[in-house]
Amino acid sequence: MKKFQFSLEPVLEQRSKKEQEALLSQSRAEQIYRERLQLLQRTQASLESCMEMAGKSPLGEMHRLMYQEVLKSQMLQQSNQTQMAKHKFDQACQRTTRARQDRLIIEKLKEKQLAQYHQQIRMLEAKVIDELATTMHARKMSKG
């Protein structure tokens, strides 16, 4: 009997490649999300420390208040960017999950076909052994 050959092997390879690409995309999206989150946290910490400071003069107080407004504006913008990055990361996770499921479906089919192939091999081996045993028994009977 010929060697086992999975007819959908090219599809399996393509789906494996697609899964690897999805994982890479997910990794990049996660990195961007984490960077944006860290930037937002640093800006938030700057705002908190700025709020704790007291201006030594009216001009210093005015500069502090203006700086607070700039930081609040930056935080709002960074918060939106962080949310968008989180959304992209979540989408990338979903694509990775779908790609993994698609690959696993084909792998399960391959395993099932391989099990059927092994079953056929065992059946053929048993048939050959039975035929040999029958032939040997017939020879013994004809000689004896």
Side-chain angles (χ1 to χ4, degrees):
M1 185 171 207
K2 66 179 182 171
K3 181 181 169 189
F4 175 74
Q5 186 172 355
F6 184 52
S7 61
L8 295 176
E9 192 67 39
V11 175
L12 180 59
E13 290 172 9
Q14 184 266 342
R15 289 195 179 177
S16 293
K17 183 179 177 185
K18 188 175 180 181
E19 181 185 8
Q20 291 301 317
E21 290 169 357
L23 278 168
L24 185 59
S25 176
Q26 177 184 337
S27 176
R28 279 190 236 120
E30 182 180 18
Q31 181 181 4
I32 290 170
Y33 168 66
R34 290 186 187 281
E35 288 170 358
R36 298 237 167 114
L37 187 60
Q38 287 176 351
L39 183 60
L40 177 62
Q41 289 169 343
R42 283 194 302 263
T43 304
Q44 189 172 15
S46 294
L47 178 62
E48 288 172 4
S49 68
C50 181
M51 291 177 125
E52 293 172 1
M53 291 182 193
K56 296 180 182 174
S57 67
L59 185 61
E61 183 64 20
M62 186 175 77
H63 283 161
R64 186 182 70 81
L65 290 173
M66 287 173 39
Y67 182 58
Q68 281 180 353
E69 290 304 313
V70 168
L71 288 175
K72 286 178 185 178
S73 174
Q74 282 181 348
M75 275 187 55
L76 182 61
Q77 186 179 30
Q78 290 170 356
S79 178
N80 289 337
Q81 290 175 345
T82 302
Q83 288 174 354
M84 286 179 13
K86 174 71 169 133
H87 180 69
K88 287 180 181 180
F89 173 59
D90 291 341
Q91 287 178 329
C93 288
Q94 290 173 358
R95 282 191 301 272
T96 301
T97 301
R98 278 193 306 271
R100 182 173 294 121
Q101 289 171 344
D102 290 346
R103 178 186 54 82
L104 287 174
I105 288 169
I106 299 296
E107 280 188 357
K108 287 286 184 185
L109 182 60
K110 181 179 181 177
E111 289 172 9
K112 186 176 179 180
Q113 287 183 6
L114 184 61
Q116 289 173 347
Y117 172 80
H118 287 300
Q119 179 65 26
Q120 287 176 345
I121 295 279
R122 284 191 293 275
M123 287 173 54
L124 284 173
E125 287 174 349
K127 183 179 175 183
V128 168
I129 290 171
D130 286 347
E131 287 175 2
L132 283 173
T134 302
T135 305
M136 289 175 69
H137 181 66
R139 281 186 187 166
K140 280 185 182 178
M141 295 305 272
S142 67
K143 287 184 180 181

